[in-house]
């Protein structure tokens, strides 16, 4: 003990970057930290604090993993071909495990394009053939925009370690002084507030209307930007998350258009986080590039392999595209030039993540038999997610004073806790819920919310049988908590 | 054309983060950019601008790739076992391609530990069992330090997307104001100057002595820190790259001890970049942790899967350890707490990179037959690298006024160009060398160098037969260039 104290005295306290000290990230904050402690003590924890599907049993697409395994071991491709010539017992054995010829040749084609292999640094922005494939994916998805003559440009596409890294690049480059601000929705995914804080800029909140299903209109955006300008903030960009994290709201075409008009009228860059574009469960997704058409508004749109039906979070793959990159004052270069410089200091995104991004964007163009297999797996996964969202909503109906507005997009529900006992917060509630049931959620205050409201975010990812067991426990906990005045009375 | 101009006028120029505008990273700078242009035109380029072994034909360790392929496809493990029961033709076929049982069971053990698999986000700092294995690796390597009672602590180990990400975390957190400075050697790996510039801090240069083989002593360090303090700079840390990039110098134990004494005397954190610790070709590597023992100096040491004999650059795996993390002023927490927060905003490092890091640190403990195979491949790769360094040095001897001081550590030579024609720079020289021979190197000014000196950095990675062809061309180019007064006369 004496030795410990002596150590501390010898190492003087250090003044560290205040922006990092103040940065908050609730998705890995106090509730998940307590959950980790409980898990170490042997408690069963159901981690709904983060959109991490495979941690909760979602199967990876077998196609993706087979391809990755073969790309890491090119010699295995030839071996597979040799083995399929086996007859007798060997042939029978292999029949069950056969990797289709279409997959083997896809791997060979891919290796021919990725000529330095998986173990070499790639171009800073990512392998060129993958950026080309991403551009084709965007044009295929946004068919109208592409037809209007504005195709995606592979040189303005960046492959990143998950979409998060792209957000960091863009926000770091945008914030040039402590008066520079970026508009974000409240509630928001706390990566945005953290990135703005880290860069030393101003977070400018706008408030989608909860009672109208977390939709927002021009008046809401105008109010936010005018309020910030009145305080001397130089607003430079607006972040839109669509489908929304944490609320699940899905923007209709008119709303997307309204954001574009608003950005055009206020000289703002749009940062469109579209990583949940596949998680619409029957609703319709309108990409910002498709609605943008040939309007000259700077637009960054982000996508990832972590969400949708793919759920490859651990592989950290993603991309962003920038359209109409603005000129950077005092230089002859545009914004894209300095994004490239940032990428180059980081050398490149990891190659497995790059290749899985390639698989994601190539999916719609693969052989029919591969597509059929994928389509089945995809529909099963998306149906299962939607079923689970419905199960959880049904449980909310049995809880006193829980209102869950809006659609079930993305991977989350963000119910409002209307009748929390006086003096308790959603943080108290989520902590008690964790202790009582093992369910790890995140308090609404971690995402931002209107004053005097309380929420929580739950990722609807646990297996149906786990939900069937834990939801009644949650209902019982909830009603006891709100009726009994909370555990602290 | 008119349309293009109209676009530009509609999008007003944007004031971007000046720190990013000013950041420099020559390893992906003008020479490599010109090389990429030439390659697109069909020219053969020999990329020696970057330590990217597999891009130049170095084979990956087959063990590493087999394990990764099986971890991505756990079902293949059982299939391998079934296949090995085949007799007849199938059995014979498989004999050639057999994956040893020891590898299969290593994969199973690993999957049992990595229980959420490759597709899930891991703990922010990386999977716990891997951090544990890293700690054991460090203690095994630094046997004396571990025996003195200061073992590595898995909670102070962070798995990152390559070592670069760790450098960014540490420097971003250290720089709290524009007067905060970090000492770096000149020449240096430009990640350090870029990270300091990006964070808005001051780069404080110290100058290892070229003529003494790029070695430095206490007087050199004292001069640098005193000079900076006289200008009001608050010096907070010293970066040491050992073995050195770009000079290849290897520190002896006394020099490591000298840095520790210096840091202790000046309240500095040491940032020890030890990613080339395997690239010593017969010399001896002294890790900072081993020499530190139980001294209470804050020390960050970094390692990576990208260099050594592994060369898995594309997989972006690495780790850093922090010892004696200082308390952070105004908080009850230490430096490590805020490194964790930064890691958590980035969610986690990519899983293939984490697992290859695990393989790297587990190597010395694997089954004997695996070890024997690896040992052969390792010695072959390291011998080959050393042979190539010698070949290039021999070529320097035939060039007028080229001096290459110091040892051949790391993956680089950093020769001095003593007799460049008046009015030309090493940038001119490297550009001309590229145009003439296709050899892509980096000008010494990209790493920093003493005024009025000129150098270049070459990674000694091209295959021997490529070197045998291009080195005579280089010698001819060089002597014509310096005798003829450069191509610009």
């Amino acid at each position: 003990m004496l030795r410990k104290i002596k150590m501390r005295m010898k190492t003087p306290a250090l003044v560290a970057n205040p922006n990092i000290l103040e940065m908050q990230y609730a998705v890995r904050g106090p509730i998940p930290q307590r959950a980790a402690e409980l898990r170490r003590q042997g408690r069963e924890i159901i981690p709904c604090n983060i959109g991490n599907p495979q941690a909760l049993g979602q199967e990876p697409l077998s196609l993706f993993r087979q391809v990755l395994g073969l790309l890491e071991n090119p010699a295995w491709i030839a071996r597979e071909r040799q083995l399929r010539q086996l007859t007798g017992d060997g042939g029978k054995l292999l029949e069950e495990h056969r990797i289709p010829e279409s997959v083997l040749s896809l791997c060979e084609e891919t290796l021919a394009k990725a000529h330095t292999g998986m173990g070499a640094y790639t171009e800073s922005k990512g392998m060129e053939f993958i950026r080309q494939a991403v551009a084709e994916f965007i044009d295929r998805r946004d068919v109208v925009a592409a037809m209007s003559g504005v195709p995606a440009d592979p040189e303005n596409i960046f492959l990143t370690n998950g979409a998060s890294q792209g957000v960091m690049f863009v926000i770091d480059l945008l914030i040039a002084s402590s008066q520079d601000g970026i508009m974000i929705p409240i509630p928001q995914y706390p990566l945005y507030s953290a990135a703005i804080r880290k860069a030393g800029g101003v977070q400018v909140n706008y408030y989608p209307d909860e009672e109208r299903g977390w939709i927002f209109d021009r008046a809401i955006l105008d109010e936010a930007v005018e309020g910030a300008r009145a305080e001397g903030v130089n607003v430079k960009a607006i972040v839109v998350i669509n489908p929304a994290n944490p609320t699940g709201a899905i923007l209709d075409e008119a709303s997307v258009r309204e954001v574009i008009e608003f950005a055009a009228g206020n000289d703002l860059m749009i940062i469109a986080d579209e990583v949940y574009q596949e998680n619409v469960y029957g609703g319709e997704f309108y990409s910002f590039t498709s609605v943008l058409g040939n309007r000259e508004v700077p637009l960054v749109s982000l996508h990832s392999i972590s969400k949708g039906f793919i759920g490859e979070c651990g592989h950290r793959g993603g991309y962003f595209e920038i359209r109409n990159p603005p000129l950077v004052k005092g230089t002859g270069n545009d914004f894209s030039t300095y994004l490239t410089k940032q990428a180059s200091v980081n050398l490149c995104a990891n190659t497995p993540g790059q290749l899985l991004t390639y698989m994601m964007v190539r999916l719609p163009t693969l052989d029919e038999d591969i597509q059929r297999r994928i389509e089945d797996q995809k529909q099963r996964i998306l149906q299962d997610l939607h079923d689970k969202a419905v199960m959880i909503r049904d449980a909310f109906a049995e809880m006193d004073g829980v209102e869950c507005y809006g659609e079930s997009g993305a991977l989350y529900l963000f119910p409002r806790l209307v009748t929390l006992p006086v003096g308790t917060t959603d943080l108290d509630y989520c902590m008690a819920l964790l202790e009582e049931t093992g369910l790890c959620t995140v308090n609404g205050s971690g995402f931002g919310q209107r004053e005097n409201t309380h929420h929580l975010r739950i990722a609807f990812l646990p297996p149906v049988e786990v939900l069937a067991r834990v939801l009644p426990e949650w209902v019982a906990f909830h009603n006891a908590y709100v009726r009994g005045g909370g555990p602290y009375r």
Side-chain angles (χ1 to χ4, degrees), chain A:
Chain A
M1 192 60 205
L2 200 67
R3 190 163 162 277
K4 188 88 181 173
I5 289 166
K6 203 169 135 222
M7 277 177 61
R8 285 302 178 205
M9 290 176 63
K10 275 201 180 169
T11 307
L14 180 138
V15 179
N17 184 341
N19 291 326
I20 294 175
L21 303 193
E22 289 159 20
M23 195 169 75
Q24 298 291 337
Y25 190 67
V27 173
R28 301 267 198 173
I31 312 252
Q33 281 164 26
R34 176 66 183 146
E37 261 176 57
L38 291 174
R39 186 186 288 114
R40 277 192 290 272
Q41 292 164 20
R43 278 283 299 277
E44 189 210 359
I45 297 299
I46 309 167
C48 297
N49 56 303
I50 190 165
N52 195 8
Q54 294 188 23
L56 283 152
Q58 183 177 307
E59 286 290 320
L61 295 186
S62 43
L63 169 68
F64 278 41
R65 297 303 190 82
Q66 285 175 1
V67 169
L68 203 49
L70 293 170
L71 296 178
E72 298 282 6
N73 295 279
W76 289 0
I77 299 174
R79 191 180 88 142
E80 283 299 320
R81 286 231 178 75
Q82 285 183 313
L83 286 174
R84 77 176 56 228
Q85 287 160 14
L86 288 184
T87 51
D89 282 355
K92 222 163 112 190
L93 182 60
L94 276 175
E95 202 135 351
E96 299 161 34
H97 299 290
R98 184 158 293 169
I99 298 174
E101 174 55 34
S102 52
V103 173
L104 299 180
S105 42
L106 173 65
C107 292
E108 282 174 330
E109 278 167 48
T110 305
L111 282 167
K113 290 173 188 163
H115 53 90
T116 52
M118 302 293 285
Y121 295 127
T122 70
E123 264 192 85
S124 308
K125 292 193 276 199
M127 297 186 203
E128 195 183 354
F129 80 97
I130 301 182
R131 290 185 285 110
Q132 181 65 49
V134 170
E136 288 162 14
F137 164 82
I138 293 170
D139 289 344
R140 212 180 309 113
R141 187 194 62 191
D142 300 343
V143 59
V144 181
M147 279 166 57
S148 77
V150 193
D153 176 358
E155 289 308 306
N156 285 331
I157 289 169
F158 295 76
L159 305 182
T160 49
N161 290 316
S164 307
Q165 191 184 27
V167 170
M168 289 291 188
F169 283 168
V170 171
I171 290 182
D172 273 350
L173 184 54
L174 273 175
I175 302 292
S177 91
S178 61
Q179 284 306 93
D180 282 357
I182 294 181
M183 293 176 67
I184 62 173
I186 295 297
Q188 52 110 25
Y189 174 51
L191 169 65
Y192 293 97
S193 51
I196 295 167
R197 180 72 268 153
K198 178 158 182 285
V202 182
Q203 167 182 332
V204 176
N205 298 337
Y206 66 95
Y207 293 87
D209 188 344
E210 179 167 15
E211 281 82 3
R212 286 193 287 151
W214 298 108
I215 289 306
F216 55 90
D217 55 27
R218 182 67 188 257
I220 287 171
L221 302 180
D222 285 338
E223 190 191 336
V225 78
E226 282 157 21
R229 284 188 181 144
E231 288 173 14
V233 176
N234 174 28
V235 183
K236 296 177 101 168
I238 176 170
V239 171
V240 182
I241 312 173
N242 179 41
N245 176 2
T247 67
I250 302 170
L251 294 185
D252 60 15
E253 192 177 354
S255 299
V256 173
R257 197 172 302 282
E258 207 156 31
V259 173
I260 293 168
E261 294 301 326
F262 169 78
N266 289 279
D267 283 343
L268 302 183
M269 181 179 290
I270 300 170
I271 300 172
D273 178 337
E274 300 179 331
V275 302
Y276 299 99
Q277 59 188 265
E278 296 283 357
N279 298 106
V280 290
Y281 318 110
E284 194 155 4
F285 166 72
Y286 294 92
S287 75
F288 267 85
T289 38
S290 71
V291 181
L292 186 73
N294 55 14
R295 291 294 301 266
E296 317 285 6
V297 177
L299 166 65
V300 170
S301 51
L302 302 119
H303 195 15
S304 144
I305 58 170
S306 301
K307 312 300 174 183
F309 51 94
I310 295 171
E312 289 286 4
C313 301
H315 283 95
R316 314 301 293 117
Y319 74 80
F320 68 89
E321 185 204 3
I322 181 161
R323 295 236 168 160
N324 308 313
L327 279 173
V328 172
K329 205 165 179 171
T331 75
N333 304 314
D334 71 13
F335 202 75
S336 202
T337 307
Y338 299 101
L339 293 170
T340 304
K341 202 205 276 188
Q342 283 175 282
S344 71
V345 174
N346 291 277
L347 293 164
C348 65
N350 79 85
T351 48
Q354 290 193 37
L355 268 300
L356 290 184
T357 302
Y358 179 64
M359 289 300 294
M360 175 176 79
V361 300
R362 280 294 310 278
L363 266 189
T365 66
L366 296 180
D367 273 18
E368 257 181 49
D369 70 306
I370 299 186
Q371 292 230 36
R372 213 171 14 247
R373 232 173 53 189
I374 286 291
E375 195 57 29
D376 283 356
Q377 220 173 338
K378 169 179 169 178
Q379 291 313 329
R380 211 167 51 238
I381 290 170
L382 291 177
Q383 184 61 52
D384 182 54
L385 287 169
H386 187 240
D387 290 348
K388 295 190 286 199
V390 170
M391 277 178 84
I392 300 175
R393 277 184 184 276
D394 287 349
F396 293 159
E398 295 176 47
M399 297 181 195
D400 288 4
V402 171
E403 297 280 2
C404 193
Y405 294 97
E407 293 154 278
S408 306
L411 299 175
Y412 314 102
L413 295 170
F414 194 70
R416 184 163 172 180
L417 307 170
V418 182
T419 55
L420 281 193
V422 181
T424 63
T425 64
D426 46 25
L427 178 62
D428 300 326
Y429 177 94
C430 291
M431 199 63 97
L433 175 64
L434 169 68
E435 300 279 354
E436 191 71 18
T437 66
L439 204 54
C440 182
T441 59
V442 183
N443 48 303
S445 45
F447 304 90
Q449 55 195 356
R450 278 194 183 278
E451 255 182 78
N452 303 317
T453 67
H454 299 286
H455 299 80
L456 62 79
R457 187 187 80 166
I458 177 167
F460 43 79
L461 291 167
V464 167
E465 57 280 13
V466 173
L467 284 179
R469 195 186 70 224
V470 79
L471 288 176
E473 292 174 31
W474 185 1
V475 171
F477 158 81
H478 177 90
N479 291 334
Y481 189 92
V482 302
R483 289 172 198 166
Y488 306 107
R489 322 268 101 191

